[in-house]
Amino acid sequence: MPEPLPPGQRDRVVLRLYEQLLELEQRLIPTGMHVFGHPPGDRQAADMLRMVASFDRPELDARSLPDLVARGLGLASYRELLKESSASEERLKQREQVESIVREAVEILLAGGTAGASAAAAQLAGRASVPAAESLPTLNILVRILGQLSVNQELDSLTRALRGEYIEPGPGADIVQNPDILPTGRNTHAVSPYGIPSTAAFQKSEEVAGALLERCRREQGAYPEAIGMVLWGMDNIKTQGEGVAQALWLMGVEPLRDAMNRVTDVRVLPLERLGRPRIDVVMTISGIFRDLFGTTMELLDKAVRTVAELDEPSEWNFLRKHVREQMAEGCPAGDALIRVFSNAAGNYGTNVNFMVLDSQWEQTEQIGDLFVARKCFAYRRGVEGREARELMERALARVEVTYQNIDNTEVGITDVDHYFEYLGGLSRAVAKRSGAQPKAYLSDSLSPLAKIRSLEETVRLEARTKVLNPKWYEGMLRHGFSGVAEIEHHVSNTFGWSATADAVDGWIYDEIASTYVLDQAMLDRLRSLNPHATRSLALRLLEAEGRGFWASDQAVVDRLHDVVADVENQLEGVRQ
């Protein structure tokens, strides 16, 4: 039996565990599919409003309610409370006090009708000495959002579209980041590519990029010299270019704007300002990004060229260091500068998701090879879509870390297969060419305190809050056939992270099998609603075991085989 921990160390472990439980409890997750034309329920609205209220809205002169409450109580800022609550019981209690007061204010607002904002402001003034003049701008935003959530014009807009009539335009984004997406049912539009990244996105990127590098330094003992980064078109539309801004920050440059607020150039940030080396960023770009953000790709290429030309020591400018190494190996200067890769013109995706989900692979190296074959087309000044497989492989051989920004509260890395298709495919490609599995990270900038999680941590979080969470799967099962299909999609996408990055713990498969297959009552529900998806779910678990991603008891494997055979008989109409 292991020795008991000293009291102080034990308390820190308990605090960290409690912090993780709080994170699971407060995570925004869908508790069912969106039903076209139906507004969200009150419980969903309350959770959403609290998240919206956690951010400053300087363009509307509105402050974060948790920050206002923390200041009114004479505490440290809410961000400081979030940072320190995992190591300090006092800070944890203060954080919970702040969150309890904000939660109560939102409940009062929801129950107060047209007078809800005033009633909530009075509560904040009484409980936390927050002047009403400071809280009302934020509370009025919440009232507006609540009214827009209760009015759903999706069906009306659909019928107008079918008649060829005008539909009012509106921005496309995440509601927490941009409440102006409401009301739904509008003709969504994107952003001007000339304004990417926005000023707000660039300001936010400093914290996220800094947190990424600090975690790498803490865990690996040094800053990574090269990072492989995934950039998607839709993500950068919704965040106004956060991913682009993070790439620029990692290289140590900032965007320059002209009189019309168009980003036209980059300016080098001094090393004294950065306080760390400039990172070599290898960017893999989605086909949609390539089509929509041609000027942004030119900007990223210009950033690469600008940083590579700086007269700085190699230990402070890893991009310059690597370019000079490539040139010393005989690579032409122009080719040595290529860091932006995408599909050939007119092509989209990596097809890694199809290879994995269709089980069309024998060795994991095939996954990385397919990623490179699809994404090895170079984009730089004067070169658009030239096949450059050798150059991409050279660049990937230096990558130590792979990374992607998460932009959305609703869609996580097991909701859709595109995440493992890109970040997973990139990680497999790097593993073969560098000789080591890179550490993969994802950022979560959807809370007031930006977090960097490892891929393994993110998979665990997704599993606990979704596929293994009764609130989530019961919400899905309310939708019958489609709900069971959604559960199976999550299981298959979880498997995708095993195939591409070995990032799924065995206990996750244990719990999935226990929840959906070994529980006879649940299995009967799944089979009655959607036997096809039920069979696929059991087969995916068997594939995980057969490929060595999951070491299960033989009795469980036998039971899975029996379930597959039984469901196949059901589908074929064979009576038992």
Side-chain angles (χ1 to χ4, degrees):
M1 179 178 294
E3 292 292 325
L5 296 173
Q9 186 176 352
R10 182 187 61 209
D11 291 345
R12 287 192 294 272
V13 170
V14 171
L15 279 174
R16 285 198 297 272
L17 177 60
Y18 185 65
E19 181 85 7
Q20 292 175 351
L21 292 174
L22 277 178
E23 182 177 43
L24 295 175
E25 179 187 20
Q26 297 175 355
R27 185 82 170 171
L28 278 182
I29 61 167
T31 52
M33 297 181 180
H34 173 66
V35 179
F36 195 76
H38 286 218
D42 289 345
R43 185 74 269 150
Q44 291 174 288
D47 294 339
M48 196 178 298
L49 292 178
R50 282 200 302 273
M51 182 64 77
V52 171
S54 298
F55 291 87
D56 289 334
R57 311 284 170 181
E59 70 280 7
L60 299 174
D61 197 27
R63 290 288 309 281
S64 154
L65 289 188
D67 276 336
L68 290 175
V69 170
R71 190 184 68 180
L73 294 173
L75 306 175
S77 71
Y78 184 58
R79 291 171 60 83
E80 290 300 315
L81 297 181
L82 289 173
K83 285 181 181 179
E84 299 173 12
S85 60
S86 62
S88 166
E89 186 175 359
E90 179 183 5
R91 288 302 199 208
L92 178 60
K93 290 179 179 178
Q94 292 171 348
R95 171 188 167 182
E96 290 183 320
Q97 181 185 11
V98 169
E99 292 172 349
S100 175
I101 292 173
V102 171
R103 187 179 301 110
E104 182 181 328
V106 172
E107 296 292 345
I108 290 172
L109 183 144
L110 283 167
T114 56
S118 298
Q123 179 261 357
L124 291 171
R127 292 285 308 278
S129 302
V130 177
E134 296 186 5
S135 64
L136 277 172
T138 303
L139 293 170
N140 286 329
I141 292 172
L142 301 187
V143 170
R144 174 170 59 85
I145 292 173
L146 186 60
Q148 291 172 327
L149 284 172
S150 64
V151 177
N152 192 297
Q153 58 192 41
E154 293 169 356
L155 287 173
D156 289 341
S157 295
L158 175 60
T159 55
R160 287 200 301 273
L162 294 174
R163 291 194 298 263
E165 297 175 359
Y166 174 77
I167 300 175
E168 180 185 359
D174 178 82
I175 186 173
V176 175
Q177 297 171 335
N178 183 8
D180 287 339
I181 69 168
L182 297 173
T184 60
R186 293 186 291 172
N187 188 10
T188 56
H189 58 77
V191 295
S192 168
Y194 301 102
I196 294 295
S198 69
T199 301
F202 189 75
Q203 291 172 346
K204 193 174 182 180
S205 70
E206 179 177 8
E207 179 185 6
V208 178
L212 171 64
L213 293 177
E214 179 56 29
R215 174 150 187 185
C216 293
R217 188 193 64 79
R218 186 173 68 249
E219 293 183 350
Q220 302 175 26
Y223 291 115
E225 293 194 9
I227 291 178
M229 188 170 180
V230 174
L231 292 172
W232 285 352
M234 295 305 296
D235 287 13
N236 280 279
I237 287 172
K238 288 183 281 187
T239 63
Q240 297 186 322
E242 281 186 13
V244 172
Q246 291 163 16
L248 296 178
W249 255 111
L250 290 169
M251 288 185 277
V253 299
E254 63 179 342
L256 284 178
R257 302 175 190 277
D258 63 15
M260 299 179 66
N261 201 38
R262 296 176 302 186
V263 178
T264 57
D265 206 342
V266 294
R267 177 168 53 206
V268 173
L269 294 167
L271 290 171
E272 295 77 14
R273 168 78 169 83
L274 294 175
R276 47 82 178 170
R278 304 184 195 278
I279 308 300
D280 186 354
V281 184
V282 181
M283 292 157 276
T284 54
I285 308 294
S286 73
I288 293 177
F289 188 108
R290 173 203 62 207
D291 293 348
L292 297 180
F293 294 106
T295 56
T296 308
M297 292 176 71
E298 292 176 5
L299 180 78
L300 292 169
D301 174 62
K302 188 163 192 177
V304 170
R305 289 186 283 110
T306 300
V307 171
E309 292 168 0
L310 295 174
D311 185 12
E312 293 175 337
S314 295
E315 63 270 20
W316 285 95
N317 189 330
F318 296 139
L319 178 55
R320 172 182 170 84
K321 172 187 175 181
H322 295 161
V323 168
R324 292 172 70 86
E325 287 175 353
Q326 286 178 259
M327 293 172 62
E329 295 168 358
C331 183
D335 287 350
L337 288 166
I338 292 176
R339 291 296 184 276
V340 180
F341 297 92
S342 187
N343 299 82
N347 287 342
Y348 301 86
T350 71
N351 288 355
V352 164
N353 49 340
F354 302 129
M355 173 181 275
V356 170
L357 297 180
D358 292 342
S359 305
Q360 298 297 316
W361 55 285
E362 297 297 331
Q363 304 295 326
T364 55
E365 290 81 2
Q366 294 174 262
I367 295 172
D369 290 344
L370 177 61
F371 182 90
V372 171
R374 295 284 297 175
K375 286 291 177 184
C376 68
F377 295 84
Y379 289 82
R380 68 171 175 84
R381 184 176 60 178
V383 175
E384 291 190 2
R386 172 168 66 90
E387 187 171 3
R389 180 164 187 149
E390 182 179 351
L391 292 177
M392 186 178 191
E393 290 181 330
R394 283 188 182 182
L396 295 181
R398 293 183 171 90
V399 167
E400 302 164 58
V401 166
T402 56
Y403 167 74
Q404 186 168 6
N405 184 56
I406 300 294
D407 73 290
N408 196 296
T409 58
E410 296 182 10
V411 180
I413 66 168
T414 58
D415 285 281
V416 294
D417 56 13
H418 299 303
Y419 280 108
F420 79 74
E421 173 195 3
Y422 272 83
L423 184 61
L426 173 62
S427 297
R428 276 292 183 226
V430 169
K432 178 178 178 179
R433 286 144 188 88
S434 69
Q437 184 71 27
K439 193 69 176 177
Y441 295 99
L442 299 111
S443 65
D444 181 354
S445 56
L446 299 171
S447 65
L449 182 65
K451 294 184 178 181
I452 299 295
R453 297 188 182 91
S454 70
L455 174 57
E456 292 81 3
E457 290 169 346
T458 309
V459 171
R460 293 179 199 124
L461 181 63
E462 289 268 312
R464 289 184 172 117
T465 56
K466 291 181 180 174
V467 76
L468 299 177
N469 181 355
K471 287 186 177 180
W472 182 84
Y473 62 68
E474 289 295 343
M476 291 300 162
L477 289 174
R478 288 198 302 269
H479 299 279
F481 183 92
S482 297
V484 180
E486 188 66 19
I487 292 170
E488 189 276 329
H489 291 331
H490 272 262
V491 174
S492 289
N493 292 336
T494 299
F495 169 83
W497 289 114
S498 288
T500 58
D502 297 315
V504 185
D505 299 327
W507 66 262
I508 294 178
Y509 290 118
D510 287 335
E511 292 299 318
I512 290 173
S514 178
T515 300
Y516 296 105
V517 181
L518 304 182
D519 183 322
Q520 188 62 47
M522 173 62 78
L523 178 62
D524 290 343
R525 291 173 69 190
L526 299 180
R527 290 178 60 172
S528 66
L529 293 170
N530 187 338
H532 300 277
T534 304
R535 174 181 177 275
S536 296
L537 188 155
L539 284 172
R540 194 65 69 187
L541 290 172
L542 284 170
E543 184 176 8
E545 194 277 335
R547 290 187 183 273
F549 299 135
W550 174 36
S552 182
D553 294 338
Q554 187 59 44
V556 174
V557 175
D558 292 342
R559 176 59 181 151
L560 288 170
H561 281 294
D562 290 342
V563 167
V564 170
D566 290 345
V567 176
E568 286 178 345
N569 286 336
Q570 176 186 346
L571 291 171
E572 294 172 4
V574 177
R575 294 183 178 181
Q576 300 296 312

